Amino acid sequence: MSFDHLRATYFEESAELLESAYAQLSDLAEGREDGETVHALFRAIHSIKGGGGAFGFDRLVRLAHGMETLLDLLREGTLPLDAAQVALLLRGADALADLLAAERGGTAVAAGFEDALMQAFRIAAEAPAGAPRVVAAPATAAPVDLPEGWRIDFRPRPELFRNANEPLLLVRQLQRLGPVTVTADLTRLPPLERMEAEDAYLDWHFVLQAAVPRGSVEEVFEFVADDCELTISPIAAEVVAEADTPQEAAPAEIAPVAAQAVAATTPQAAAASQPAAQSMRVDVQKIDRLVNLVGEMVIGQAMLVQHAGSLPPDLCPGLTAGLETLSQHLRELQEGVMSIRTQPVKSVFSRMPRLVRELSAQLGKDVRLVVTGESTEIDKTVVEQLADPLTHLLRNALDHGIETPDQREAAGKPRQGTVHLSAAQRSGRIVIELSDDGRGIDRARVLARARERGLVAPDAVLSESEIDELIFLPSFSTAATVSAVSGRGVGMDVVRRNIQALGGRIALESRFGSGSRFLLSLPLTLAVLDGLVVSVGREAYILPIAAIVESLRPRPEDIHAVVGRGDVLSIRGAYIPLLPLHRHFAVPEAEADPSRGIVVIVETDHAGQLGLLVDDLVGQQQVVVKSLEANYGRVEGIGGATILGDGRVALILDIPGLGLGQGRVAASAPRSPATPSALQ
Amino acid sequence: MPHMTDPDSPEASGLVLPASLDLTQAEPLCQALRERLQDPAIWLDGGAVERISTPCLQLLAAAHASAQARGIPFRLRGASAVLASAIADLGLSTAIPLEV
């Protein structure tokens, strides 16, 4: 292994270690720590320091050493853990991240960058005279002391029930460990009229009065861990006694854990509970080669099926059965290989707390970031390209959405604003939600601004969602004053474009005065796509299934010509613009009469619904996406290409791209060859 | 969901909860309860319940809260042992009061 390779591995590992360090620091900040948290944090920083020493990153080593010294005192219990120390350690982790990034990118960090921080570590470690110090427990008293009981805060996510989880069974399993006091929290329960029958709204607080190991409690919740927010904290004897009241006791009476719990477990015990590594590092290129190869196999298999279909069925009865089995195994193989490429969104989400910390300090706001569903997995490429749009949305939420503490108080809100970032898998897509409880969008002012800029006709009546759409317009967001006026708008067109480039969609819901919610829906992978094969002349095109609303053969009387806009299709009282694909791509010998072809209605983000005129529908199939940009060049309205079972190349349509150019169709000349020759 | 008339309250129609109140029953139960919210009083018979799930209990809790908010009397009578113990185990005795 070369030195460069070792260095690259060190940076990758350090990024992961830092990620886990941030997670542990966030546990400490939220009071979710147990005896293991500080030890795990110490180990992460120690590993970064160890590797850094080997590569001669002296400043990084000194800084990590300063953090270690403080952590050592905390894990021994010599120093009590408080919010100020967690904040200091967070600053330390931020500085480590900066130093690592600088070493990795070969850039210089200003001299003395870490001096103030080092000084702060020294002062904290020395602890001023008179400051409370916890007397270290004698070494003999350390081993595994079980707490008197456990307090469990269980906050299900909406999908908990739909994922076949049943809280009743959890309670009954807990009851097997010992007496349980159950408090149901109905705060989130909406009125019946607004409820989704299968969504979970209730939270529970359990107090288990049994001196059992944490693992036994965690085991009860093992299968719901991904569908809930769970806090398990040990409770001291007096708290158990206090909680020994009839059912549905007020939850506020139960005190949180004593900080000494941090020192309760010995490092040896902690190390023993650490599971062995179950993963290995593989070069991404190797995985990509595998993905490509499986893609080729899928195409080969499609060809085989097509040839077999032309044979008389009785000729080779075993062949059909064999091909079916092959198809099934190939699909499983493909899913398996694709899943290797996936990684948790955590790698992006973990960058957000720092952004929130720094921005809120800069803006003088008090903001809490709540992150859920970070273990949701998505294609690596999608994860990498999510960072920019998410950062932008979060920056907007903090800058323009969340008010200052005084403004919030005046509006009757808590001084601290909350931003919620979550990810979940829903019907084959990943949905990322970013919501804030800030001031929301002032639609009246957005509309006024749009009218001023001539983006909306003075007499046009716009629905709320149409007004929200205005902030995604490029010409709208370039206005420097918009952010101050509407609360949103800077660069939102870029965010939408980035998300669309990933095959995703972005939607916005906002209520003036109470906050905004952005919903990002993204495909799990960019490598395969469920598509509808359509024919136009002698060409075949693929339409992404996700974009299709319906397809029909219109009657001649339903087609109307509009001057300067081409034809429109009248359907159920609405008029949908028609886009004849043969004219768009200059395909000869295609059906020009809509009433003799097929109109496929697709949903576009910009232009609403659009009717694509094609000759015929060929069939639905999963296609392997080949990049057109890498092999040929970018063509507006085309998202990629694929190879069909008969060996022909078919272009995959990029519906948003088609929608954008739609207004120019009637007047414009054909814009691209039907199929680039380089791919044939 | 079967309906019946409350002998004590002729203007209010009651709802007999079915034997199975699992997740698949949440949507029909939700609809049935929403319709009942239009009545001057709601009464439910829980004697036949043999199978219960948290989503259905959650709906009963929401129905009770919505009824209270509208000033409509809400009564859940003759709860089966299965129903009563599930309500107690999930700490919902106040949210879903049982009538003996």
Side-chain angles (χ1 to χ4, degrees), chain B:
Chain B
M1 298 266 162
H3 301 173
M4 59 194 286
T5 307
D6 183 358
D8 299 341
S9 160
E11 73 281 16
S13 61
L15 184 66
V16 180
L17 298 177
S20 172
L21 277 180
D22 57 16
L23 181 65
T24 60
Q25 290 302 307
E27 194 53 60
L29 177 66
C30 185
Q31 291 306 329
L33 289 171
R34 277 181 191 159
E35 284 166 25
R36 290 296 161 287
L37 277 183
Q38 311 307 321
D39 294 349
I42 299 174
W43 71 269
L44 309 171
D45 187 330
V49 179
E50 290 167 8
R51 210 178 135 92
I52 184 73
S53 65
T54 309
C56 289
L57 289 175
Q58 184 180 256
L59 287 168
L60 292 176
H64 175 239
S66 295
Q68 269 191 326
R70 293 165 184 225
I72 305 171
F74 178 99
R75 300 159 75 185
L76 174 52
R77 294 172 168 181
S80 66
V82 169
L83 180 58
S85 68
I87 290 175
D89 282 350
L90 283 173
L92 292 169
S93 306
T94 313
I96 312 173
L98 296 178
E99 207 172 278
V100 185

